[in-house]
Amino acid sequence: MKKYIAVLLVLFCNTLAFSQHSLQIIIRDSETQQPLIGATAAIQGTSIGATSNASGELELTNIPAGKQIVRYSYVGYGEKVDTVTFPIVQAGPLVVLLAPAGEELEEVVVTTTRSSRTIEDIPTRVEAITLEELGEKANMKPGDIRMLLSESTGIQTQQTSATSANANIRIQGLDGRYTQILQDGFPLYSGFSSGLSIMQIPPLNLYQVEVIKGSSSTLYGGGAIAGLVNLITKKPKEEGELSFMANATSAKGLDLSAFYGKRFGKFGVTVFASRNANQAYDPADIGLSAIPDFERYSANPTLYFYPSEKMQLSFGINASEEDRLGGDMRYIDGEAGDYYFEENNTERLSTQFNLEHRLSDRSMISVKNSVSFFNREIAVPDYDFRGKQTASFSEVAYNLNSEKTDWVLGANLWTDKFSERQADAVGKRNYDNTIVGAFVQNTFTPVDWFVLESGLRTDYVTPEPANKSKGVFVLPRVSALFRVSDRLTSRIGGGMGYKTPTIFTQEAENLTFRNILPLNISQTEAETSIGGNADINYNTLIGEDVTFSINHMFFYTYLNNPLILTLRPDNLYEFRNANGNIDTKGVETNMKFGYEWVKLFLGYTYTDARQHYNGTVTDMPLTPKHRVNTVLMLEKEDNFRIGLEAYYFSEQQLTNGSRGQDYWINGVMVEKMFNRFSLFLNFENIFDTRQSKFGDIYTGSITNPQFSEIFAPVDGRVINGGIKLNLL
C-alpha cells in the first residue's frame, strides 16, 4: 500500500512541475515605443512578479495552468490588466504598451531659467509649487505668501517684529536680503520695497511659484545670492475663470478676494482684487499685539493683446495700500497715554509691460519694462522714518532654439532711487543706483542622457562700490543634468553672485532705521558669493500600488565681505564690511509616497551656517540646524481634501549667545468640494506653540519694551475657514 501511495505522490508532483509555465514580456511606452526600465508585471493573487530590465524585458515563471490575471504597472503610467490562459504558445515576447496617465505625468513647464522647458529637462534645479499646491496653501494663509514658502525644505520665514508681524524669507540659512523675489520675471520687490514684501503679496492670483536655491545672480542680476522666487500669475484662457474667496480667522482676520480672466479673440484680460484685514490680536494676554491691526487693498488688472499667432503683448498694473499698527493694545484701541506702538503705512504701484514676438519657429525676441513706486512710513514713539523709492527695469532678450542647443542673449537696465522725506541728526540716507547688464545663456543636449546649461552675466553698477572690480561684476554659472535611467537622475551646478550695499537690511529694519548713518558707498564693498549644489532624484514603485520618490540635495555657499551694522562709541550705527566671511552648507531630503488618494510627504533640512569674523567662528543666529517637514494628504479630485502637517525646528542660536528652545508646529486642513464651490476649515498651530510660553517676549517696561529675538511663533493657534466660489 505504501508503494502505491509513493508512486501516486511522485506522479502528482511531476504533474505539478509540468503545470508551471512562464511568460516573456517587453514593456514599452505607448507613445515613444521606448522600453520602460523598472516596470512591473505580476500575477494577481500570487507572489509571482518581476521587474523589467534596461531593455524593458522581464520573465514571469512558475505560473500555474489555467486563466491568470496579469497586471502591468509603472510609475506615472496607467495600469493595464490582461487575462492570459496557460499554457500559452509564444513565438516571441509579449509586447505590452503602457500609456502615460495620471497626475504623476502632468508636465510642469518652468520659465525662470529663461528657457521654457519641462522641469524634468532643465539642468538647473528648480522647485515648482503648482496650482494644486497653491490652492491648498491658500486655504491656510490666503492673505500672503508666507505659508507657501515656509513649508518647503531649506526655506524659513523669519518673523522680525514681535508686534507688527513683519517677516522675511531665508533660504539655506542666509538673510532675507540675499533672496530675490520676482513677479513674472520682474524684480518688483527689492531695496526699500523689500520691507514687508512677503506680508503683502496675496497668493490667490498665482498660477505657479518657481524657486531656485543657491546663487542665481546670473539669471536676473544682483541680489540672488541665496536664491530667487518667481511668482507666476494666471493668464487668460478661452474658457474663462471667475472665482471668489472669503476667509475668516479666530484671530479676528477677514480676507476677501476675486479673480476674473478670459480671452476674447485677439484680446484677453485678467483682474485680481483683494481686501485683507485683521484686528489686533494678543493670544498671550500680555498687552502687546502678536498680530497687528491692519487693512490692505490690492488690485492687479492686466490687458493682453494678440495681434497675430506670433505676437503677444501685455500691460498690467500692480497696486496695493496698507495701514498696519501694532504695539500696546491700549494704544491700538485709541486710549490716550504714553504707550509703545509701531506703525507702518505703505503704498505700492508698479506697471509691467511685456512683448513677445516669434520671428520664426526657432527664434523669438522679448521686451520687458516695469516702473515701480513705493512709499513707506514707519513710526514708533519719538521717531518717524519716511521714504520713497522709484525703480525701473527694462530688458531685451533674444531666444534661438535648435534641435540640440538653445541660446538666450539679452541686456537690461535697472534703476533704483531712494529719497528720504525727512532726516534726523544723522542726515538723509538717499541713494541713486543704476545697473547696466548683459547676459548670455546656452542649453546644450549632445545626447539624451546629458544636458548642460551655462551662462555668463556682466553687470556695471554706478555709483561704483569700493572694491577691486570698480563696479564691474562678471558672473558665470553652469549646471548639468544626468539621466542615469528613467528612474534615476542627478543635477549639479553652481555660480557666482553679488549684492550692492544699501541700508535696507534686516538689522536696520529691526531698529526702524533710527540712528543709522548714511551709507558711504566709496568705503563700502559689494558682497560677493560663490556656491553650488548637487542632487540625486529617484522614483520607483513599491509593490504594485505604492509610488515612491526621493530627492537628496547637498548645498554650499560662501559669502565674502558681508555687510554688518555696528554700534559706534557715539551710539550711532554704521554699516561696514565684516572682516571675514559667511559660509552655509547642508543637505535637503524630500520623500514622497503615494497610494491611490493618499500621499505622504517627508522632508529634512540640515543647515550649518556660520560667521567667520575676526578669526572667530560662530553659528548664524536664528537658523535651526535641523528641521523636519511631514505632510499627510488625503485627497479625491473634485471631492475632498484633508491635510495633516507637522513641522519640527531644532534649537536656534540667538545673537546674545543663548539658544532658543526647539519646538513642533502642527496643523489640520479640511476642504469639501462641490460643483461650483468648496468649503474649507484649517487649524493652524493646533497645539498653540508660542514663544511667550518659552519665556518673556520683551524686557523692561511695557511702555519702553526691549524685544527679544523671535525664533518661534508669537500668534499661537489660529483657526480659519471660508468658502471658494468658481462661477465659470
Side-chain angles (χ1 to χ4, degrees):
M1 184 66 177
K2 292 181 180 179
K3 292 182 180 180
Y4 290 114
I5 294 175
V7 171
L8 289 174
L9 286 174
V10 171
L11 291 174
F12 180 68
C13 291
N14 287 338
T15 301
L16 284 178
F18 285 107
S19 296
Q20 306 302 306
H21 305 280
S22 63
L23 179 64
Q24 295 178 339
I25 304 168
I26 299 177
I27 303 180
R28 293 176 178 167
D29 183 296
S30 63
E31 296 179 358
T32 65
Q33 300 298 311
Q34 293 296 313
L36 298 180
I37 306 170
T40 61
I43 303 297
Q44 186 169 297
T46 73
S47 60
I48 301 170
T51 302
S52 61
N53 60 19
S55 301
E57 300 174 350
L58 60 86
E59 184 176 9
L60 300 177
T61 58
N62 298 323
I63 305 172
K67 287 186 177 182
Q68 302 293 342
I69 297 176
V70 187
R71 189 180 298 272
Y72 310 97
S73 59
Y74 186 63
V75 176
Y77 285 70
E79 190 176 71
K80 188 173 184 178
V81 176
D82 283 338
T83 300
V84 181
T85 301
F86 295 91
I88 182 175
V89 178
Q90 279 193 285
L94 175 65
V95 177
V96 176
L97 302 179
L98 296 184
E103 64 174 313
E104 293 289 339
L105 250 222
E106 292 178 2
E107 287 190 339
V108 177
V109 178
V110 296
T111 59
T112 301
T113 58
R114 297 183 180 274
S115 58
S116 296
R117 289 181 165 224
T118 62
I119 197 168
E120 293 86 359
D121 294 331
I122 292 181
T124 300
R125 188 180 188 273
V126 182
E127 297 179 20
I129 305 174
T130 59
L131 189 61
E132 181 182 4
E133 289 183 84
L134 291 173
E136 297 169 7
K137 303 307 179 187
N139 293 348
M140 305 173 190
K141 185 72 72 172
D144 57 63
I145 62 172
R146 280 180 298 169
M147 185 67 70
L148 65 91
L149 294 175
S150 64
E151 296 187 352
S152 299
T153 54
I155 300 180
Q156 175 187 359
T157 57
Q158 179 63 52
Q159 185 163 334
T160 56
S161 170
T163 60
S164 291
N166 301 359
N168 64 22
I169 62 171
R170 307 179 69 170
I171 295 181
Q172 296 176 348
L174 291 174
D175 189 77
R177 72 177 186 266
Y178 301 118
T179 296
Q180 193 175 53
I181 299 180
L182 312 172
Q183 180 172 307
D184 296 320
F186 291 96
L188 305 180
Y189 308 98
S190 61
F192 186 43
S193 61
S194 64
L196 295 175
S197 61
I198 67 169
M199 304 292 299
Q200 297 181 327
I201 304 173
L204 298 172
N205 69 328
L206 300 179
Y207 170 77
Q208 189 163 284
V209 175
E210 298 170 10
V211 180
I212 299 179
K213 299 172 183 175
S215 183
S216 308
S217 293
T218 305
L219 292 170
Y220 293 93
I225 287 175
L228 65 85
V229 178
N230 194 7
L231 309 171
I232 311 298
T233 57
K234 295 178 180 178
K235 304 299 185 289
K237 297 180 180 180
E238 295 283 355
E239 60 270 23
E241 178 183 352
L242 177 60
S243 58
F244 299 89
M245 182 175 186
N247 172 73
T249 79
S250 62
K252 306 177 183 179
L254 178 64
D255 302 287
L256 303 171
S257 65
F259 176 82
Y260 174 74
K262 187 172 177 58
R263 180 170 175 176
F264 306 89
K266 291 183 177 294
F267 291 91
V269 64
T270 60
V271 180
F272 172 75
S274 69
R275 177 188 182 272
N276 307 98
N278 214 106
Q279 298 180 39
Y281 180 60
D282 175 21
D285 197 26
I286 59 175
L288 295 171
S289 62
I291 299 178
D293 182 271
F294 73 86
E295 186 173 25
R296 180 176 67 251
Y297 293 90
S298 303
N300 183 197
T302 304
L303 180 65
Y304 294 81
F305 178 47
Y306 311 90
S308 68
E309 293 183 357
K310 295 184 177 181
M311 183 178 292
Q312 173 181 310
L313 298 92
S314 66
F315 179 78
I317 296 175
N318 197 333
S320 69
E321 181 179 9
E322 180 186 270
D323 295 332
R324 177 180 292 252
L325 178 61
D328 196 306
M329 297 294 287
R330 293 169 293 181
Y331 181 88
I332 298 172
D333 291 337
E335 294 185 23
D338 185 20
Y339 302 129
Y340 175 82
F341 67 90
E342 183 179 333
E343 186 174 5
N344 281 274
N345 298 324
T346 59
E347 297 175 346
R348 295 178 187 268
L349 178 65
S350 63
T351 63
Q352 297 95 47
F353 170 79
N354 188 37
L355 165 66
E356 294 181 356
H357 179 51
R358 186 163 294 281
L359 304 175
S360 67
D361 292 340
R362 294 186 174 182
S363 62
M364 182 183 73
I365 188 169
S366 63
V367 179
K368 290 183 176 181
N369 173 263
S370 70
V371 180
S372 303
F373 305 92
F374 178 73
N375 295 315
R376 183 182 179 190
E377 177 183 354
I378 308 172
V380 294
D382 303 321
Y383 183 70
D384 192 11
F385 178 82
R386 301 182 183 183
K388 177 181 180 180
Q389 179 188 30
T390 304
S392 70
F393 176 78
S394 301
E395 178 185 282
V396 178
Y398 174 72
N399 292 58
L400 178 64
N401 304 323
S402 64
E403 185 176 348
K404 292 188 176 182
T405 304
D406 298 341
W407 287 95
V408 183
L409 302 92
N412 60 259
L413 172 66
W414 194 348
T415 66
D416 183 4
K417 181 178 181 180
F418 170 74
S419 302
E420 191 171 353
R421 293 187 175 179
Q422 62 185 40
D424 55 16
V426 301
K428 291 187 176 182
R429 278 71 59 98
N430 298 350
Y431 68 78
D432 190 353
N433 293 338
T434 300
I435 302 175
V436 180
F439 58 89
V440 59
Q441 179 173 292
N442 174 260
T443 306
F444 180 49
T445 311
V447 290
D448 291 340
W449 57 268
F450 177 71
V451 185
L452 179 68
E453 187 171 78
S454 56
L456 180 68
R457 167 180 283 272
T458 301
D459 279 359
Y460 175 63
V461 179
T462 57
E464 299 175 353
N467 60 2
K468 297 178 182 179
S469 66
K470 297 298 182 183
V472 177
F473 297 90
V474 180
L475 308 171
R477 66 180 286 265
V478 62
S479 300
L481 166 65
F482 302 88
R483 294 191 185 93
V484 182
S485 70
D486 288 345
R487 293 183 177 274
L488 180 64
T489 60
S490 179
R491 288 177 173 86
I492 185 169
M496 301 178 66
Y498 78 98
K499 178 76 170 67
T500 53
T502 74
I503 68 166
F504 299 110
T505 69
Q506 195 52 60
E507 296 168 296
E509 179 90 24
N510 293 342
L511 296 171
T512 61
F513 307 101
R514 191 173 191 173
N515 295 326
I516 296 178
L517 293 169
L519 190 68
N520 189 336
I521 195 70
S522 64
Q523 297 180 7
T524 309
E525 296 188 24
E527 301 170 271
T528 57
S529 72
I530 185 170
N533 55 57
D535 80 342
I536 186 167
N537 189 77
Y538 178 72
N539 66 79
T540 188
L541 195 66
I542 301 175
E544 297 182 6
D545 302 307
V546 179
T547 60
F548 170 73
S549 64
I550 182 171
N551 179 273
H552 186 71
M553 181 179 72
F554 303 88
F555 62 85
Y556 177 80
T557 300
Y558 178 92
L559 177 63
N560 196 32
N561 303 322
L563 195 66
I564 60 174
L565 193 61
T566 60
L567 180 62
R568 305 192 327 176
D570 57 1
N571 289 324
L572 296 179
Y573 293 89
E574 69 174 350
F575 279 102
R576 63 177 178 83
N577 295 102
N579 179 24
N581 61 79
I582 293 173
D583 66 1
T584 174
K585 55 184 177 292
V587 297
E588 293 180 29
T589 303
N590 289 280
M591 292 185 290
K592 177 181 177 181
F593 297 84
Y595 175 74
E596 295 182 353
W597 44 272
V598 180
K599 299 175 187 175
L600 175 63
F601 302 87
L602 302 175
Y604 170 72
T605 306
Y606 171 75
T607 305
D608 183 11
R610 303 194 180 190
Q611 300 170 329
H612 303 256
Y613 296 163
N614 301 314
T616 302
V617 181
T618 58
D619 288 339
M620 181 79 74
L622 301 174
T623 304
K625 283 187 178 294
H626 307 279
R627 183 178 166 191
V628 176
N629 301 15
T630 63
V631 178
L632 177 64
M633 185 65 64
L634 314 175
E635 181 177 11
K636 281 195 173 182
E637 189 174 358
D638 299 326
N639 190 339
F640 71 86
R641 179 187 292 156
I642 301 174
L644 308 173
E645 300 181 333
Y647 300 92
Y648 170 75
F649 297 80
S650 68
E651 294 181 349
Q652 301 175 41
Q653 179 74 36
L654 305 182
T655 302
N656 62 9
S658 63
R659 301 188 71 84
Q661 184 171 325
D662 64 335
Y663 59 91
W664 283 88
I665 298 178
N666 302 270
V668 179
M669 186 274 294
V670 180
E671 182 176 8
K672 173 60 180 175
M673 295 84 159
F674 300 93
N675 185 30
R676 289 291 184 182
F677 70 96
S678 66
L679 301 174
F680 62 90
L681 184 64
N682 178 58
F683 299 83
E684 196 63 33
N685 194 355
I686 193 169
F687 297 119
D688 198 27
T689 299
R690 278 187 282 113
Q691 186 166 329
S692 55
K693 291 184 174 181
F694 305 147
D696 294 329
I697 291 292
Y698 70 94
T699 57
S701 67
I702 193 171
T703 57
N704 186 27
Q706 304 299 312
F707 291 102
S708 306
E709 286 181 301
I710 306 301
F711 63 86
V714 296
D715 52 358
R717 180 192 302 113
V718 177
I719 303 171
N720 70 282
I723 183 172
K724 294 191 288 189
L725 302 175
N726 294 289
L727 302 182
L728 286 180

